[in-house]
Amino acid sequence: MTDKNFMRLALTEARQAYDEGEVPIGAVLIDEDGILICGEHNRIEQLNDATAHAEILALRAASHKLNCRRLSSCTLYSTVEPCAMCAGALVLCRVRRLVYGATDSKFGAAESLFNVTDNPALNHRLNVTAGVLEDECLALMKNFFANVRNK
């Protein structure tokens, strides 16, 4: 499968978040053989937990499933550029690669505001690919926030 195929899986998670009234961000974690380990979406409102971002939930689920805190053979696909918390967790989990759709000029920590994922002061760096299915990822976010403003 290709990056676009895996991003479509993350978009499916993001649409589920949208349907649940959550900010529509989805993430999937894929192993080095291209096997889906897990998929998650934002559950901040549902869990009343500001840390319940799709990326964090996916990292937790994968660590539990694999019984390992280091995910060094994995790629995380996220529909939106991870925030500083999520980017830091990707570094701590030693994720090999990050692929995301839309950049986030307000909170992004892979390139927009900060570059946590490739910071030379940290002991791990990720390979990052940005802009995969960006238009679709961005459209979902824009539609969600337009609906929120209209309510």
Side-chain angles (χ1 to χ4, degrees), residues 88-122:
L90 290 166
V91 170
L92 290 171
C93 289
R94 309 295 196 273
V95 170
R96 179 178 57 90
R97 184 169 175 240
L98 165 66
V99 179
Y100 67 87
T103 58
D104 185 345
S105 62
K106 292 183 180 179
F107 295 102
E111 70 173 327
S112 296
L113 288 180
F114 310 106
N115 192 345
V116 173
T117 56
D118 192 32
N119 188 316
L122 300 175

Side-chain angles (χ1 to χ4, degrees), residues 21-144:
E22 298 277 358
V23 174
I25 297 174
V28 295
L29 209 67
I30 308 297
D31 75 10
E32 62 190 339
D33 296 320
I35 308 276
L36 175 69
I37 297 170
C38 64
E40 286 289 347
H41 56 276
N42 275 5
R43 296 175 195 259
I44 296 164
E45 301 301 327
Q46 180 183 9
L47 298 176
N48 198 28
D49 178 356
T51 69
H53 292 198
E55 301 92 336
I56 296 292
L57 296 174
L59 293 171
R60 286 179 186 160
S63 292
H64 287 283
K65 184 174 182 176
L66 300 174
N67 196 31
C68 184
R69 67 179 181 87
R70 291 184 186 241
L71 304 171
S72 57
S73 64
C74 298
T75 298
L76 184 116
Y77 290 81
S78 179
T79 55
V80 175
E81 179 183 4
C83 70
M85 174 184 68
C86 294
L90 290 166
V91 170
L92 290 171
C93 289
R94 309 295 196 273
V95 170
R96 179 178 57 90
R97 184 169 175 240
L98 165 66
V99 179
Y100 67 87
T103 58
D104 185 345
S105 62
K106 292 183 180 179
F107 295 102
E111 70 173 327
S112 296
L113 288 180
F114 310 106
N115 192 345
V116 173
T117 56
D118 192 32
N119 188 316
L122 300 175
N123 63 349
H124 177 73
R125 292 179 191 83
L126 289 76
N127 293 321
V128 177
T129 302
V132 175
L133 299 181
E134 182 175 21
D135 292 341
E136 293 169 53
C137 296
L138 193 55
L140 190 60
M141 293 288 285
K142 285 183 176 182
N143 188 33
F144 177 82

